[in-house]
């Protein structure tokens, strides 16, 4: 990625943008195969709406207007920093026009005021899928969504990945069974386990959250449990000796999710009970996705079940969603990306002289009408110079209008051709992106 003069706001060269578009096209196609409809929401929300996300609200970019006048309300607005909260607001406002359960995908820019570092940006593209019901939403959607995201990553061929799952009911029920009062604070603290380590987590739980040392130790033992065997996970949790009705419910759901995942996509989904997702609105299954060969990059996606985020007061719209941080994923994949050319143009139509430019335009238009990207040389320079211009751009073919000859400037092969019937090889029609990890598109 091109280093922007503003830290955390990446910019892409044309070849890098083609690489990004190849990822977006694959995601969009996969989502649509599973019945998700496209949606775009506004970039701006009220600060009150954005604050529903919880502690991340401190990262919101607020808006102000230059030369604002008395009575302006722009100071109460901010840029959205994820797509779930705006989507919840959209559902409530447009519920009368939607058919439930409503399945949507959304691919947009978001903004987050955190410290930029590798894989973390202040402006980035996120791809979300969500299913929202009216009043109720069946549990099977909590199973479906991580499997759809796993399929999307498999289509991208990003190498080995792992969708880590947990259930907030397991954690909350376990903490309540221990007698912990600040359940939300405990969840947020456990979610920082990888960042600050077990010793610091235990200290924060005791000194700031108010647990006893024994409660903190038990919470950490729960967080150590991981695996993909559904029955074994349940047995390990029960062996800790804590009981609570919410814990029982969560274990049943986690078991069913793991069992279905092992049946449909073996090895892609693993229970990791330290995954808590430190956002206040999650109520059931939660997910985080890692690239196995790039664990230092951290999570490239996540999400979960939410029951009360979208509500009109009279009706509630429970949902479940997962997202992929496209920009974070791209930042690592671009290290080994190869793009066949940085322009879409397949053919450059040469210009013999400016008086004959119209003839070149007619040939280019005939090619375009058949879906072949074509451009016309910027000037009637010597043909050698026009060929060098095409070569610098990576355009594979040059068309000479005088005798209708087309030249593959890579091999030097030149043949007579008719713009009404000629077509390039399929691999040359559009730029192709290849990653060492295997992402391909055309």
């Amino acid at each position: 990625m091109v280093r922007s003069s503003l830290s955390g706001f990446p910019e892409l060269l044309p070849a890098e943008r083609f690489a990004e578009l190849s990822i977006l096209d694959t995601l969009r196609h996969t989502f649509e195969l599973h019945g998700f409809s496209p949606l775009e929401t506004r970039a701006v929300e009220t600060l009150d709406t954005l604050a529903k996300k919880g502690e991340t609200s401190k990262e919101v970019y607020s808006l102000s207007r230059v030369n604002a006048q008395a009575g302006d309300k722009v100071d109460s607005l901010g840029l959205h920093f994820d797509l779930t909260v705006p989507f919840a607001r959209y559902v409530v406002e447009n519920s009368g026009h939607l058919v439930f359960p409503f399945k949507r995908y959304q691919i947009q820019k978001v903004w987050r005021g955190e410290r930029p570092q590798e894989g973390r940006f202040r402006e980035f593209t996120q791809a979300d899928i969500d299913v929202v019901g009216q009043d109720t939403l069946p549990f099977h959607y909590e199973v479906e969504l991580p499997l759809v995201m796993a399929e999307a990553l498999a289509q991208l061929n990003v190498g080995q990945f792992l969708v880590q799952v947990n259930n907030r009911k397991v954690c909350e029920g376990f903490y309540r069974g221990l007698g912990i009062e600040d359940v939300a604070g405990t969840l947020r603290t456990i979610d920082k386990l990888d960042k600050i380590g077990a010793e610091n987590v235990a200290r924060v739980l005791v000194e700031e959250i108010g647990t006893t040392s024994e409660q903190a130790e038990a919470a950490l033992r729960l967080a150590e449990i991981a695996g993909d065997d559904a029955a074994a996970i349940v047995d390990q949790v029960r062996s800790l000796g804590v009981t609570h009705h919410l814990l029982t419910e969560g274990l049943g759901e986690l078991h069913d999710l793991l069992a279905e995942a092992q049946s449909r996509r073996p090895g892609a989904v693993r229970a990791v009970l330290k995954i808590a997702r430190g956002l206040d609105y999650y109520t059931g299954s939660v997910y985080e996705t890692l690239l196995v060969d790039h664990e230092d990059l951290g999570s490239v996606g996540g999400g979960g079940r939410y029951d009360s985020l979208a509500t009109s007061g009279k009706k509630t719209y429970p949902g479940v969603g997962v997202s992929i941080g496209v920009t974070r994923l791209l930042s690592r994949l671009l290290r080994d990306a190869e793009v066949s050319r940085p322009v879409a143009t397949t053919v450059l139509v040469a210009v013999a002289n400016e008086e004959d430019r119209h003839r070149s335009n007619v040939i280019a238009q005939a090619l375009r009408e058949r879906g072949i990207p074509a451009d016309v040389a910027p000037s009637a320079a010597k043909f050698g110079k026009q060929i060098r211009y095409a070569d610098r751009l990576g355009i594979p073919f040059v068309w000479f209008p005088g005798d209708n000859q087309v030249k593959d400037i890579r091999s030097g092969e030149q043949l007579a051709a008719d713009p009404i019937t000629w077509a390039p090889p399929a691999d040359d029609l559009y730029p192709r992106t290849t990653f060492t990890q295997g992402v391909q598109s055309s």
Side-chain angles (χ1 to χ4, degrees):
M1 292 183 178
V2 175
R3 182 180 295 276
S4 170
S5 57
L6 293 177
S7 177
F9 296 86
E11 295 180 323
L12 301 177
L13 293 169
E16 294 172 332
R17 176 60 172 157
F18 274 122
E20 182 182 47
L21 288 173
S22 73
I23 293 175
L24 299 183
D25 286 344
T26 298
L27 294 176
R28 178 182 56 80
H29 178 67
T30 304
F31 299 157
E32 290 176 356
L33 283 176
H34 286 267
F36 291 86
S37 299
L39 183 67
E40 180 171 299
T41 56
R42 65 198 186 209
V44 174
E45 299 287 343
T46 66
L47 294 179
D48 286 344
T49 297
L50 294 172
K52 293 179 180 179
K53 180 99 178 222
E55 65 173 12
T56 313
S57 61
K58 64 187 179 185
E59 299 173 354
V60 172
Y61 280 107
S62 63
L63 295 183
S64 62
R65 192 179 113 185
V66 177
N67 297 324
Q69 301 183 17
D72 286 349
K73 298 182 179 180
V74 292
D75 288 339
S76 63
L77 301 178
L79 293 172
H80 63 213
F81 58 93
D82 83 336
L83 300 178
T84 304
V85 172
F87 174 57
R89 186 267 311 159
Y90 174 92
V91 168
V92 171
E93 292 181 358
N94 295 279
S95 59
H97 305 285
L98 304 176
V99 177
F100 295 98
F102 178 49
K103 302 174 70 172
R104 81 85 169 85
Y105 74 87
Q106 195 168 341
I107 302 174
Q108 281 184 244
K109 294 276 191 181
V110 298
W111 294 266
R112 189 168 296 178
E114 61 182 2
R115 182 174 65 85
Q117 53 187 297
E118 184 178 10
R120 291 187 178 274
F121 305 92
R122 290 172 170 163
E123 178 184 62
F124 54 97
T125 298
Q126 194 163 300
D128 283 27
I129 52 174
D130 284 77
V131 182
V132 170
Q134 189 174 70
D135 296 325
T136 62
L137 184 72
F139 168 74
H140 64 77
Y141 287 113
E142 295 180 51
V143 179
E144 176 185 350
L145 263 67
L147 293 178
V148 173
M149 196 58 75
E151 181 177 327
L153 290 170
Q155 292 297 317
L156 289 173
N157 294 328
V158 295
Q160 188 177 357
F161 62 88
L162 189 63
V163 180
Q164 300 180 133
V165 302
N166 194 4
N167 194 299
R168 288 285 286 263
K169 295 175 186 177
V170 171
C171 300
E172 291 189 29
F174 189 85
Y175 302 154
R176 293 186 188 281
L178 287 172
I180 294 176
E181 294 184 4
D182 187 355
V183 172
T186 302
L187 282 166
R188 286 194 294 269
T189 304
I190 290 293
D191 196 52
K192 299 175 182 177
L193 189 57
D194 286 341
K195 295 180 180 179
I196 66 176
E199 183 177 341
N200 285 324
V201 165
R203 179 186 57 77
V204 172
L205 287 174
V206 173
E207 297 179 3
E208 299 180 22
I209 304 301
T211 72
T212 66
S213 298
E214 291 76 15
Q215 289 170 333
E217 182 180 347
L220 286 169
R221 285 203 302 271
L222 178 71
E224 292 172 354
I225 296 175
D228 55 15
D229 185 313
I233 290 293
V234 172
D235 288 343
Q236 289 180 65
V237 175
R238 286 177 174 163
S239 71
L240 297 178
V242 177
T243 59
H244 192 276
H245 70 89
L246 196 60
L247 172 62
T248 301
E249 182 180 341
L251 282 175
E253 292 179 352
L254 183 60
H255 174 279
D256 291 349
L257 193 163
L258 284 174
E260 183 70 11
Q262 281 298 92
S263 172
R264 292 170 54 183
R265 191 167 288 277
V269 178
R270 177 181 174 86
V272 179
L273 271 58
K274 66 181 178 181
I275 301 299
R277 304 293 292 174
L279 306 176
D280 293 344
Y281 61 72
Y282 288 123
T283 57
S285 299
V286 288
Y287 323 107
E288 283 194 0
T289 302
L290 297 176
L291 301 184
V292 173
D293 295 329
H294 302 279
E295 291 190 18
D296 61 304
L297 192 60
S299 173
V300 297
R305 169 79 181 231
Y306 48 91
D307 284 309
S308 303
L309 183 61
T311 179
S312 63
K314 295 181 179 180
K315 292 185 177 181
T316 299
Y317 304 90
V320 58
V322 291
S323 68
I324 288 181
V326 175
T327 307
R328 177 179 290 194
L329 183 65
L330 184 67
S331 70
R332 184 57 57 92
L333 295 180
L334 279 178
R335 292 180 175 182
D336 301 304
E338 292 184 4
V339 180
S340 59
R341 59 181 187 265
V343 295
T345 308
T346 307
V347 182
L348 180 74
V349 182
V351 178
N353 55 70
E354 290 301 332
E355 289 73 20
D356 286 341
R357 177 172 288 275
H358 174 72
R359 183 176 184 180
S360 298
N361 288 334
V362 169
I363 292 171
Q365 186 59 29
L367 293 169
R368 294 175 193 136
E369 288 174 354
R370 296 174 48 239
I372 301 171
D375 199 1
V376 178
S379 67
K382 292 182 178 180
F383 282 158
K385 187 173 182 180
Q386 295 185 53
I387 292 172
R388 288 193 295 273
Y389 172 78
D391 184 53
R392 286 198 301 272
L393 289 175
I395 301 172
F397 296 97
V398 174
W399 194 290
F400 301 105
D403 50 5
N404 273 332
Q405 296 269 329
V406 63
K407 181 174 185 174
D408 184 334
I409 65 174
R410 300 161 299 183
S411 66
E413 182 181 14
Q414 184 168 320
L415 301 170
D418 185 336
I420 303 301
T421 59
W422 177 85
D427 286 352
D428 289 328
L429 185 58
Y430 292 105
R432 294 178 62 83
T433 303
T434 305
F435 297 93
T436 298
Q437 292 288 351
V439 179
Q440 293 185 341
S441 74
S442 61

